[in-house]
Amino acid sequence: MDVQLTGRRALVTGSSAGLGEATARMLAAEGADVVVHGRDEARVTAVVDAIRTSGGRADVAIGDLVTDDGADAVVAQALAGGPVDILVNNAGSYDHLSWAEATPAVWATTYEVNVISGVRLIQRLVPLMRERGWGRVIQIGGGLAIQPMSVQPHYNATLAARHNLAVSLARELAGSGVTSNVVAPGAILTDAVRDLLVDIAPAHEWGESFEEIERHAATEWVPNDVGRFGRPEEIAAAVVYLASPFAAYVSGATLRVDGGTIRSVH
């Protein structure tokens, strides 16, 4: 299926690994020119080289989005190759701190990294999309935005903010040809998550093979209807759909890719 992304340019933040890397790779495979962003030049360059080796088109953008100067630098690098049509705000961080451990300073830092960084790029790039009459803004959110856990409350709250700002932006962009939506992953098997599962498996008696560990974790820890963790490529596919012309009638929506983890009508 041709998703009609050839000639479109996409900036995917935090795309030197994990969900961002999978998204950048799939957008490139579908014909988009991709800007791979990160703070580690070697890691970003490795992803760009891999995309180019596979026949795709990709450029590098290095910078820390928690400062205005860093965001300006990233935007300048992204625009050097042409107008940005698609912005995927994926960059962010999380930890497993409890309410007692998450100090106000941690809350503030997490909000700056996970929310304000994306706002900086929206304010710099969306007006240009609006002038051209076409654009896509996609936040990577998560089920914890609407079904939070007792731990990592600061992270849960930033996901809720990402969902909320996406809907507000959609209302602001009404009739402009630019859409704003959210992809909300469930538990996704990135390298970091795999390492975590293997590390905590003995304490839970989840078995020794990874197949056993994943099955038990998807039943006891993050229960869902499918019985496994999602894969980064499954999130990337949702982003590709929302970035395409086929999603032109999707506005202010949350596309859940979580195997049924969120057990409510939403």
Side-chain angles (χ1 to χ4, degrees):
M1 180 177 180
D2 179 7
V3 294
Q4 301 176 24
L5 289 179
T6 300
R8 297 298 185 184
R9 187 167 176 82
L11 168 60
V12 183
T13 66
S15 47
S16 63
L19 301 184
E21 178 182 357
T23 299
R25 284 175 176 266
M26 190 172 290
L27 283 167
E30 293 297 334
D33 297 348
V34 175
V35 181
V36 179
H37 161 261
R39 293 176 297 176
D40 186 315
E41 186 170 359
R43 290 172 60 187
V44 171
T45 300
V47 175
V48 167
D49 289 345
I51 290 173
R52 290 174 176 172
T53 298
S54 298
R57 293 178 296 277
D59 295 317
V60 169
I62 308 297
D64 191 343
L65 300 176
V66 299
T67 68
D68 287 338
D69 289 344
D72 286 340
V74 169
V75 168
Q77 293 168 80
L79 293 176
V84 172
D85 305 293
I86 301 160
L87 170 62
V88 183
N89 274 327
N90 167 74
S93 66
Y94 68 95
D95 51 47
H96 299 281
L97 300 180
S98 67
W99 267 95
E101 296 167 322
T103 64
V106 170
W107 276 77
T109 298
T110 303
Y111 193 81
E112 181 73 48
V113 171
N114 290 354
V115 182
I116 303 300
S117 292
V119 171
R120 286 190 175 94
L121 294 184
I122 288 169
Q123 292 183 336
R124 286 161 172 77
L125 291 173
V126 169
L128 302 176
M129 297 179 189
R130 204 168 191 166
E131 288 177 6
R132 298 192 303 277
W134 199 97
R136 299 287 186 266
V137 184
I138 302 164
Q139 311 297 319
I140 303 300
L144 295 174
I146 59 173
Q147 190 169 287
M149 300 186 296
S150 60
V151 296
Q152 59 190 41
H154 51 308
Y155 175 63
N156 300 340
T158 60
L159 289 182
R162 284 192 177 199
H163 285 228
N164 191 288
L165 73 85
V167 177
S168 175
L169 182 61
R171 301 294 89 85
E172 165 67 17
L173 294 171
S176 68
V178 184
T179 63
S180 170
N181 293 290
V182 179
V183 172
I188 307 300
L189 194 63
T190 60
D191 290 341
V193 170
R194 177 185 283 268
D195 292 343
L196 174 64
L197 293 181
V198 170
D199 185 52
I200 67 176
H204 293 276
E205 298 182 347
W206 284 343
E208 297 185 3
S209 73
F210 188 76
E211 290 72 18
E212 292 178 293
I213 292 171
E214 181 180 10
R215 184 174 66 253
H216 282 291
T219 301
E220 303 170 22
W221 198 36
V222 282
N224 62 67
D225 300 336
V226 180
R228 64 170 174 84
F229 281 51
R231 278 20 182 194
E233 293 73 21
E234 293 173 305
I235 305 306
V239 173
V240 166
Y241 162 66
L242 288 177
S244 77
F246 295 104
Y249 196 55
V250 182
S251 173
T254 297
L255 178 51
R256 292 194 290 111
V257 187
D258 63 7
T261 300
I262 300 302
R263 299 175 182 272
S264 64
V265 177
H266 175 68

